């Protein structure tokens, strides 16, 4: 079964995100290997988009919150607690370090 948003076919999760935000994800996340100049230009474009659409931040936050809520079980399925470090039994004050 195919999914569409408006006239756009949605094939991947990335498609859903890009259509919801109205921008490509690379604009916000960057691309591997981009130069400092490319990064600066990308961030300038992002600032312009936010200035033109201040509600975009709220939409992006809502999308991120929904994605986290939906995927929490799979995000943290292999997380285990780290052992706590042993407590020091010494009651003496730590020595001052000379500067």
């Amino acid at each position: 079964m195919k999914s569409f948003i408006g006239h756009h076919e949605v094939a991947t999760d990335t498609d859903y995100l890009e259509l919801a935000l109205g921008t490509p994800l690379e604009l916000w996340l960057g691309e591997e290997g981009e130069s400092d100049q490319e990064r600066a230009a990308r961030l300038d474009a992002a600032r312009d988009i936010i200035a033109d659409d201040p509600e975009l931040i709220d939409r992006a936050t809502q999308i991120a919150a929904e994605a986290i809520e939906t995927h929490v079980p799979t995000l943290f399925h292999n997380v285990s607690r780290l052992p706590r470090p042993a407590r020091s039994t010494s009651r003496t004050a730590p020595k001052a370090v000379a500067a």
Side-chain angles (χ1 to χ4, degrees):
M1 179 168 151
K2 294 183 178 184
S3 295
F4 289 87
I5 295 179
H7 298 293
H8 302 282
E9 182 178 354
V10 179
T12 66
D13 291 340
T14 300
D15 292 343
Y16 278 110
L17 291 171
E18 288 182 352
L19 288 167
L21 293 172
T23 62
L25 292 180
E26 292 81 11
L27 177 67
W28 309 104
L29 303 177
E31 294 189 59
E32 192 173 328
E34 72 182 355
S35 68
D36 290 342
Q37 202 171 30
E38 291 168 327
R39 181 175 189 275
R42 177 178 58 78
L43 293 176
D44 282 345
R47 278 190 284 278
D48 288 345
I49 289 170
I50 291 172
D52 290 343
D53 185 4
E55 293 167 4
L56 177 63
I57 294 171
D58 292 336
R59 287 197 316 268
T61 303
Q62 182 67 32
I63 291 167
E66 288 172 3
I68 290 168
E69 183 178 344
T70 301
H71 297 287
V72 159
T74 57
L75 288 173
F76 299 109
H77 76 278
N78 64 350
V79 174
S80 60
R81 288 184 166 232
L82 295 174
R84 288 189 173 181
R87 286 188 173 188
S88 173
T89 58
S90 172
R91 300 223 179 238
T92 59
K95 295 181 181 179
V97 177

